[in-house]
Amino acid sequence: MVPPDESQAALAHGADSKAGVLKGGDPPSQPVPVRGMPQYTPLTDRQKLDRTVGRLIRPTWLLFTGLSAGYSQWQHRPPQWGQGSGGYARRFGTVYALAGFRQSVLFAGSALNHEDVRYPRSERHRFFPRMGDAFKQAMMSRRDDGSLGFACARTVSDLGTTMLTMAVYPDHHPFTGREMLRVAAVYLAVREAFSVVREFTPDVVKALHLGRLMKQIDRP
């Protein structure tokens, strides 16, 4: 419940904003404060670009791509791509291209639909309430006005990349209705688990004093 002074201030701000637009003035540069979320600050499109497409040039992404391609080469998957430098280059390029597709779609969707690409963490403090919020918010994302809604950009980018992967890799399962349902069910389970991990990872990083190290590793 919002205190009366905050509620009146928000209404007054909204009225002033509407008046400015009706008079031909510029719309306000700052969003109207949202009830219950006074400290939320939306990302600009430039920040969304940095957190999506911009990650592709960071050392951690390049390292992950190299390790993923190396593991696939070691497992000889897919066998149609062979071994040697040519096989490794093809595996590396495919993994990187799929990541580029996913990040590009995520940025475009978040910018067009005004979605926040950050994970919406719980505002509560106890373990079980936070766990419940993590399960509920697995398929949610913040809008630029601070409200919560279905994570369209993330869902489309993730499922689209999964479908593209099935089409690119020759040893993947064929497109069938049953396979699509299986992929959707696995995706939902992974998103729920990942949501819980993302909820508590900052606490673990803080407890182990890994924040500075993570920033150094993830620096472009």
Side-chain angles (χ1 to χ4, degrees):
M1 186 172 183
V2 181
D5 54 341
E6 293 183 11
S7 177
Q8 292 174 2
L11 291 173
H13 183 86
D16 293 341
S17 301
K18 292 180 180 179
V21 173
L22 291 175
K23 292 179 181 179
D26 295 330
S29 57
Q30 298 296 328
V32 178
V34 179
R35 293 186 178 185
M37 292 172 287
Q39 297 180 349
Y40 174 73
T41 303
L43 296 175
T44 64
D45 285 347
R46 184 172 182 177
Q47 289 172 320
K48 293 177 183 178
L49 180 66
D50 178 67
R51 287 174 173 266
T52 53
V53 179
R55 291 184 181 274
L56 296 171
I57 61 173
R58 296 180 184 175
T60 48
W61 278 77
L62 296 174
L63 176 63
F64 171 80
T65 302
L67 292 175
S68 179
Y71 180 76
S72 296
Q73 179 119 340
W74 179 55
Q75 293 288 316
H76 195 46
R77 296 180 58 189
Q80 294 89 336
W81 292 358
Q83 292 290 311
S85 59
Y88 180 80
R90 187 169 184 178
R91 291 177 176 89
F92 183 95
T94 301
V95 173
Y96 196 81
L98 289 170
F101 172 83
R102 191 261 180 187
Q103 297 300 95
S104 299
V105 173
L106 178 59
F107 166 69
S110 62
L112 293 174
N113 203 37
H114 305 287
E115 293 184 36
D116 196 327
V117 297
R118 295 172 293 186
Y119 169 75
R121 297 188 68 201
S122 174
E123 298 178 357
R124 296 193 275 187
H125 301 286
R126 288 186 165 186
F127 176 79
F128 287 107
R130 289 177 63 188
M131 179 75 75
D133 287 344
F135 282 127
K136 289 187 294 184
Q137 296 175 177
M139 301 295 293
M140 310 290 283
S141 67
R142 290 234 187 270
R143 299 296 187 263
D144 288 345
D145 62 1
S147 61
L148 278 172
F150 180 69
C152 298
R154 184 175 290 109
T155 303
V156 170
S157 62
D158 288 344
L159 289 179
T161 304
T162 301
M163 303 303 173
L164 182 60
T165 300
M166 295 173 64
V168 169
Y169 282 87
D171 59 344
H172 268 273
H173 297 287
F175 286 96
T176 63
R178 184 175 181 178
E179 183 62 19
M180 297 302 103
L181 290 176
R182 186 192 70 83
V183 168
V186 171
Y187 173 71
L188 180 60
V190 171
R191 277 287 294 273
E192 292 288 347
F194 188 68
S195 180
V196 174
V197 172
R198 287 293 301 270
E199 175 64 35
F200 296 101
T201 294
D203 299 330
V204 176
V205 171
K206 183 178 180 180
L208 298 178
H209 306 287
L210 298 177
R212 183 176 298 178
L213 176 62
M214 295 299 294
K215 288 181 180 180
Q216 291 293 330
I217 294 176
D218 204 35
R219 181 175 295 174

